[in-house]
């Protein structure tokens, strides 16, 4: 018996002891009807081959380890970015349990959201009663200022009409007639979480700007000097939005962050649970129609929202998750152009510091090969940064990327001498990535927590950047946007590079050389 | 400090009753009426906890519950390691449940084991419009080509499957035939079915019955020589290795575990289970169905047990041994004696640090009752508990064997109720899930996730008890809880705040 009160062994060590190892070996041999180890080994090796890759890429129906989630997750993420807003997902209740868990596991924060808890009878008769009761309960219990409704695939398949349902609920007195209940249809079988973000945000803006579903006058746009900024679905929203605010304030620009969830996903532990915290005020959301321009930090998170805003007479500008020097330059120059404000010396110095850091470390990262996967904009932003570091983003894969994304990625590769051997893979999953890493190995992999399976199987060291990150803590609190954010990404990459060199050179008596103190 | 220890039972009962009335005030009348039936103060001697259960959750209240898919794919089927479980429908369900339940296993992942892979049919609009059966056919072919060492396939239905009229049973039969009788199991666990995870467990149990047991020829021999001491562990999902730290005890007492359901389990183990002499059932809620079926059809008795904390472990080892001869009975005593020094040392170390501390629980499955003994072994007291998806038979077991007089009982608790209860009762520890963890920690209340063991474990068995004690101590006695107030803020009255 290895266990003791003095030194308690948990799962990390306990099962490595001989008693457990013997037990597990017996279990396998006696009862699991295991495959012949030679056969397992043969298939394992076969799965690394170009032949397997070809079969793997010929898949038409099966998806294995996708790097995307479904629409309502994005809708919930966007909705909590508004002041005292409770997301309400119409459909089966298990979905909401999943979104809340998923967001809590990433941010290590509470995630509040309700469901209309539809079951078999609602599948037959529709979920109107669930909406009527649900809105009344949520309104009374959680005292929101706004309830933002989206849908699960169940409600979409049976064709529930949110506009009509909300109208009826108000007539039945579930919530006051003038209470804000914006909505968006967010079918899980269309697009991904970035689509849901887009739909929900558009639904909320449409609500405030276009007459609250026929219950108020449409807003007349009276242009002002403000700039709206949309972050998009972003695992780093806490750090990034705060960095963006700092930049706006340094430049003296009046701004509105739309769907600002940077506070609700970063509340203090001080004895009080804040179900709601921060967020774009409803007043600001409405007044955002008057802004001079709206900037989206993620084109593919705002494919419908930006044209909607443009139709209201604003200039709209979309970026692709700007990371690094040039992308940040472009972002700041756009801000400067739109606002007429100069880029302050302080930001110029920050730029210089990032360039300084990149120059200092260039020798270690230049020519290194990377694979990246994640949301389409994140992939683009990280690939662009690697190119300006002289690194090669050989495989860039986005399960929720489309043809247009692929073209944009290829254009990016074409614009750099370091992009010549790089390829974009839209609509592919992490099992495809596995084949890529075996058949065309790279030095490092950038992706979310699920990349650890790829790291284990292919030996490609994982740099965790993306969503979700479940198995490392607190990185979402630091920005990856702005020059400061670029610095954070650079350091993250460099740390892994140096750790890997150390790991390969730390066997005393064998690799004493290269185990350097100074690099 | 808990208030509970300073009050008499009568005072506690009065306070709890008052609390229930208070939380009900927030609801619209109709909802208050419905919720009132799920909240109660336990009266000693009653045969159950006096609450309604296994009823529909109320829309909009922030239930903690999941769905039938979660009960089937996430709980029962997902851990069977050598089968591929297709999350059939849109991408989300499989994504959110991917690898999050910590069902430990050993195998070559992606080659002969598949627990931590996410297989999905990733439904698109055209699949909804034209149906997904053809896609499913192709998916099974692609699995066979790319994952040739899989020992079987299950189809875990997501909501749309049952709504668009797909015939996954027909596809399963046809493909099974095509692949030489391969085990292919269609599971009708669409998320809208039933009121919680619970129906998903039942549907998954029935799928084992219909698509595994009924396909195995009755005369087929197990691949091992049977012994009089063969048992199967039923309803242990090997979270953090729970089934392993249980199995080791059963084997040490002389029994032979021929199958684990379903943590670190395999198809061969499922198929061999009808050869067991006794099924030992840990999570009654999720696997009583198949245990009853095996009793009726194969005459295998089953026995509930509880491997949380030494008191219940001792009781359970003797209870299990009672089904066997003296050799096993002696084995049980030998095991109990062997681990007694560990138990004594753990209790000597941790009990003084935990004595008198109060706990509120809200969990699923067996845990709202099963862990109470382990807390009591450490001198702690459970002052409130409730089931996410329990039935009345769970509340009966709770009332008759576990909770004390005056315990606050809350079935399918809502976010609002749980916050209020904790705010007023001020327990020293809350044990619940990931969705609750940060809410209570923000309030300054120590918390442990009691679904995932907060990424620790195992908690089952003697080895697990040491970890359990360590973890409860580190949660409650973490120095961080003394720092939640900035020193320059005036010290408020010792009262926790919940969100409005």
């Amino acid at each position: 018996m290895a266990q003791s009160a003095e030194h308690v062994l948990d799962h990390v060590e306990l099962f490595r002891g001989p008693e457990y190892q013997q037990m597990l070996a017996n279990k396998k041999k006696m009862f699991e009807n295991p495959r012949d180890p030679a056969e397992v080994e043969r298939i394992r090796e076969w799965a690394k081959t170009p032949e397997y890759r070809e079969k793997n890429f010929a898949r038409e129906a099966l998806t294995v380890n996708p790097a995307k989630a479904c629409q309502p997750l994005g809708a919930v993420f966007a909705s909590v970015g508004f002041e005292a807003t409770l997301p309400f997902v119409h459909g089966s209740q298990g979905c909401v349990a999943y979104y809340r868990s998923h967001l809590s596991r990433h941010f290590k924060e509470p995630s509040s959201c309700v469901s209309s808890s539809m079951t078999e009878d609602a599948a037959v008769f529709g979920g109107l009663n669930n909406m009527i009761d649900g809105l009344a309960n949520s309104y009374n219990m959680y005292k929101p200022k706004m309830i933002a409704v989206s849908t699960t695939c169940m409600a979409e398949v049976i064709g529930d009409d949110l506009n009509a349902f909300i109208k009826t609920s108000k007539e039945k007195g579930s919530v006051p007639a003038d209470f804000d209940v914006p909505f968006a249809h967010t079918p899980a079988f269309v697009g991904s979480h970035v689509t849901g973000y887009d739909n929900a945000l558009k639904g909320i803006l449409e609500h405030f700007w276009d007459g609250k579903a026929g219950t108020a006058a449409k807003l007349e746009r009276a242009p002002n000097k403000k700039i709206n900024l949309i972050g998009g679905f972003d695992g780093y929203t806490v750090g990034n939005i705060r960095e963006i605010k700092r930049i706006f304030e340094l430049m003296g620009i009046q701004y509105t962050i739309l769907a600002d969830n940077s506070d609700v996903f970063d509340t203090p532990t001080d004895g009080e649970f804040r179900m709601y915290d921060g967020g774009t005020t409803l007043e600001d959301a409405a007044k955002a129609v008057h802004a001079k321009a709206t900037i989206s930090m993620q084109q593919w998170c705002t494919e419908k929202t930006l044209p909607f805003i443009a139709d209201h007479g604003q200039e709209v500008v979309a970026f692709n998750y700007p990371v690094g020097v040039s992308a940040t330059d472009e972002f700041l120059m756009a801000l400067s152009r739109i606002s007429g404000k100069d880029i302050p010396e302080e930001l110029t110095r920050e730029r210089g510091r990032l360039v300084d850091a990149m120059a200092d470390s260039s020798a270690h990262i230049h020519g290194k090969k990377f694979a990246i996967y994640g949301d389409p904009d994140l992939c683009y932003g990280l690939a662009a940064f690697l190119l300006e570091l002289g690194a090669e983003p050989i495989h860039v894969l986005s399960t929720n990327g489309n043809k247009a994304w692929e073209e944009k990625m290829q254009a990016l590769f074409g614009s750099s001498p370091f992009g010549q051997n790089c390829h974009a893979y839209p609509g592919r999953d992490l099992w495809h990535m596995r084949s890529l890493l075996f058949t065309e190995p790279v030095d490092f992999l950038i992706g979310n927590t699920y990349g650890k399976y790829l790291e284990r199987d292919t030996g490609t060291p994982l740099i965790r950047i993306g969503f979700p990150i479940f198995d490392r803590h607190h990185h979402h609190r630091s920005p990856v946007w702005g020059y400061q954010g670029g610095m954070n990404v650079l350091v993250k990459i460099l740390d892994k590079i140096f750790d890997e060199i150390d790991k390969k050179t730390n066997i005393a008596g064998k690799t004493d050389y290269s185990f350097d103190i100074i690099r | 400090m808990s208030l509970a220890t300073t009050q008499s039972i009568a005072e506690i009962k009065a306070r709890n009753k008052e609390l229930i009335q208070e939380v009900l005030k927030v609801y619209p009348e109709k909802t208050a009426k419905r919720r009132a039936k799920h909240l109660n103060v336990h009266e000693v001697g009653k045969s159950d906890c006096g609450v309604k259960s296994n009823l529909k959750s109320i829309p909009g209240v922030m239930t903690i519950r999941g769905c039938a898919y979660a009960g089937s794919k996430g709980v029962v089927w997902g851990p069977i390691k050598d089968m591929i479980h297709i999350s059939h429908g849109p991408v989300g369900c499989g994504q959110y449940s991917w690898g999050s339940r910590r069902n430990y296993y050993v195998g070559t992942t992606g080659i002969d084991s598949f627990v931590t892979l996410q297989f999905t049919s990733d439904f698109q609009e055209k699949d909804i419009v034209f149906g997904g059966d053809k896609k499913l056919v192709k998916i099974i072919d692609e699995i066979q080509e790319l994952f040739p060492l899989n020992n079987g396939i299950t189809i875990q239905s997501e909501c749309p499957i049952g709504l668009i009229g797909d015939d996954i049973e027909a596809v399963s039969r046809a493909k099974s035939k095509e692949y030489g009788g391969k085990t292919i199991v269609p599971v009708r666990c669409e998320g809208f079915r039933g009121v919680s995870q619970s129906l998903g467990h039942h549907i998954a149990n029935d799928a084992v019955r219909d698509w595994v047991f009924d396909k195995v020829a009755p005369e087929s021999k197990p691949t091992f020589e049977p012994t009089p001491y063969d048992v199967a562990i039923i309803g242990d999902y090997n979270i953090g290795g729970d089934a392993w730290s249980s199995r080791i005890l059963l084997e040490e007492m002389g029994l032979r575990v021929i199958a684990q359901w379903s943590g670190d389990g395999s198809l061969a183990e499922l198929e061999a289970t009808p050869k067991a002499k006794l099924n030992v059932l840990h999570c009654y809620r999720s696997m009583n169905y198949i245990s009853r079926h095996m009793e009726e059809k194969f005459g295998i008795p089953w026995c509930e047990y509880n491997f949380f904390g030494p008191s219940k472990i001792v009781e359970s080892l003797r209870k299990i041994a009672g089904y066997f001869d003296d050799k096993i009975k002696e084995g049980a005593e030998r095991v109990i004696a062997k681990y007694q020094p560990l138990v004594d040392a753990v209790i000597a170390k941790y009990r003084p640090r935990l004595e008198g501390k109060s706990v509120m629980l809200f969990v699923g499955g067996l845990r709202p009752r099963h862990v109470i003994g382990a807390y009591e072994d450490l001198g702690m007291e459970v002052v409130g508990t409730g089931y996410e998806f329990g039935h009345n038979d769970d509340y009966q077991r709770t009332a008759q064997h576990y909770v004390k007089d005056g315990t606050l009982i809350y079935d399918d608790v809502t976010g609002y109720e749980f916050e209020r209860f904790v705010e007023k009762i001020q327990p020293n520890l809350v044990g619940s899930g990931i969705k609750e963890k940060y809410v209570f920690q923000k309030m300054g209340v120590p918390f442990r996730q009691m679904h995932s063991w907060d990424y620790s474990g195992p908690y089952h068995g003697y080895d697990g008890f040491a970890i359990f004690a360590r973890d409860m101590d580190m949660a409650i006695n973490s120095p961080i809880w003394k720092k939640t107030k900035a020193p320059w803020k005036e010290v408020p009255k010792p009262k926790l705040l919940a969100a409005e």
Side-chain angles (χ1 to χ4, degrees), chain A residues 398-420:
Chain A
S398 184
T399 309
N400 47 355
N402 57 19
K403 189 86 192 145
W405 172 80
E406 181 186 17
E407 283 163 14
K408 196 157 186 173
M409 286 305 310
Q410 291 300 152
L412 174 69
F413 299 145
S415 71
S416 163
F418 303 100
Q420 300 314 305

Side-chain angles (χ1 to χ4, degrees), chain A residues 239-256:
Chain A
N240 276 343
I241 294 294
R242 288 183 186 158
E243 178 66 7
I244 293 296
K245 287 178 180 172
R246 189 181 70 89
I247 289 171
F248 273 124
E249 273 149 32
L250 278 171
M251 290 185 71
I253 298 171
Q254 289 184 295
Y255 66 93
T256 303

Side-chain angles (χ1 to χ4, degrees), chain A residues 3 5 11 20 27 35 52 55 60 62-63 65-66 68 93 115 121 137-138 142 267 270-271 450, chain B residues 31 56 59-61 95 98 118 120 122 138 142 145-146 151 195 264 269 349 416 442 455 457 463 485:
Chain A
Q3 190 63 287
H11 59 88
Y20 279 102
K27 174 180 184 293
R35 298 281 181 170
Y52 187 90
K55 286 179 191 294
E60 290 175 351
L62 172 67
T63 298
N65 298 354
K68 68 170 182 183
Q93 74 192 11
S115 164
D121 53 344
N137 287 326
S138 302
Y142 298 112
T267 61
D270 60 359
Y450 290 105
Chain B
T31 306
K56 274 197 253 181
V61 298
Q95 202 70 3
W98 180 9
Q118 205 292 68
T120 172
D122 188 13
K138 201 172 230 179
E142 290 177 354
E145 179 161 35
L146 290 166
N151 280 339
V195 304
D264 192 36
E269 289 168 72
K349 180 173 177 185
Y416 177 89
K442 300 287 176 189
Y455 322 122
D463 285 343
K485 282 288 169 215

Side-chain angles (χ1 to χ4, degrees), chain A residues 213-507:
Chain A
T215 63
K218 290 190 180 190
L219 297 181
E220 277 295 317
R221 183 171 132 86
N224 60 27
K225 290 183 173 170
K226 280 187 150 185
I227 295 177
N228 300 323
L229 185 130
I230 299 169
F233 192 101
D234 179 19
Y236 298 88
T237 184
V238 171
N240 276 343
I241 294 294
R242 288 183 186 158
E243 178 66 7
I244 293 296
K245 287 178 180 172
R246 189 181 70 89
I247 289 171
F248 273 124
E249 273 149 32
L250 278 171
M251 290 185 71
I253 298 171
Q254 289 184 295
Y255 66 93
T256 303
I257 307 284
L258 294 172
D260 176 5
N261 50 21
S262 61
D263 283 337
V264 79
F265 285 132
D266 193 23
T267 61
T269 285
D270 60 359
E272 181 188 353
F273 161 51
R274 296 161 178 83
M275 177 179 269
Y276 313 112
D277 199 22
T280 314
T281 66
L282 305 191
E283 194 186 350
D284 283 350
K287 283 184 176 167
V289 72
H290 307 308
K292 189 171 184 195
T294 295
I295 290 175
S296 165
M297 300 299 269
Q298 300 198 63
Q299 175 190 346
W300 282 287
C301 290
T302 48
E303 283 187 292
K304 288 181 195 151
T305 302
L306 279 195
F308 167 81
I309 294 173
D311 283 348
H312 285 70
Q314 289 184 29
E315 180 184 352
V316 294
V317 183
F319 291 92
N320 299 103
Y321 210 89
V323 177
V325 179
S326 295
T328 308
D329 291 349
E330 282 163 32
F331 171 62
L332 294 184
M333 288 190 291
L335 289 186
S336 175
R337 177 183 60 74
I338 296 164
S339 66
K341 306 267 188 182
D342 289 335
I343 298 169
E345 189 54 28
E346 194 167 338
L347 286 172
T348 310
R349 286 184 71 90
E350 284 181 21
R351 181 185 189 280
R353 290 182 196 124
L354 177 57
V355 173
D356 178 69
M358 288 162 68
D360 293 348
S361 311
S362 162
H364 295 281
I365 197 166
H366 190 105
K368 291 277 188 298
K369 292 187 165 85
F370 287 78
I372 307 171
Y373 71 85
D375 285 344
D377 292 286
L378 177 75
C379 283
Y380 188 98
L382 292 172
F385 185 40
L386 288 176
L387 290 173
E388 66 181 20
L389 285 160
E392 297 179 35
I394 297 289
H395 315 301
V396 182
L397 180 149
S398 184
T399 309
N400 47 355
N402 57 19
K403 189 86 192 145
W405 172 80
E406 181 186 17
E407 283 163 14
K408 196 157 186 173
M409 286 305 310
Q410 291 300 152
L412 174 69
F413 299 145
S415 71
S416 163
F418 303 100
Q420 300 314 305
N421 298 316
C422 302
H423 285 96
Y425 297 91
R428 299 295 183 171
D429 56 42
L430 301 188
W431 200 255
H432 293 116
M433 180 62 99
R434 192 175 189 269
S435 279
L436 292 174
L437 294 176
F438 276 129
T439 54
E440 292 179 70
V442 295
D443 300 305
F444 297 94
L445 170 67
I446 297 182
N448 63 15
T449 280
Y450 290 105
K452 77 192 295 176
Y453 299 132
L454 291 169
E455 180 177 44
R456 177 185 61 189
D457 291 358
T458 70
T460 318
L462 172 67
I463 297 164
R464 283 172 177 76
I465 303 177
F467 177 91
I469 305 288
F470 290 154
D471 65 339
R472 295 293 184 273
H473 295 189
H474 307 310
H475 292 279
H476 66 276
R477 298 174 199 267
S478 305
V480 299
W481 292 344
Y483 300 118
Q484 195 52 55
M487 188 78 82
N488 292 335
V489 175
L490 176 68
V491 172
K492 218 181 278 221
I493 294 171
L494 286 168
D495 278 349
K496 183 61 83 173
I497 290 175
F498 293 132
D499 282 348
E500 283 301 311
I501 299 174
D502 284 344
K503 248 201 251 173
K504 285 180 191 149
T505 57
N506 64 1
I507 306 167

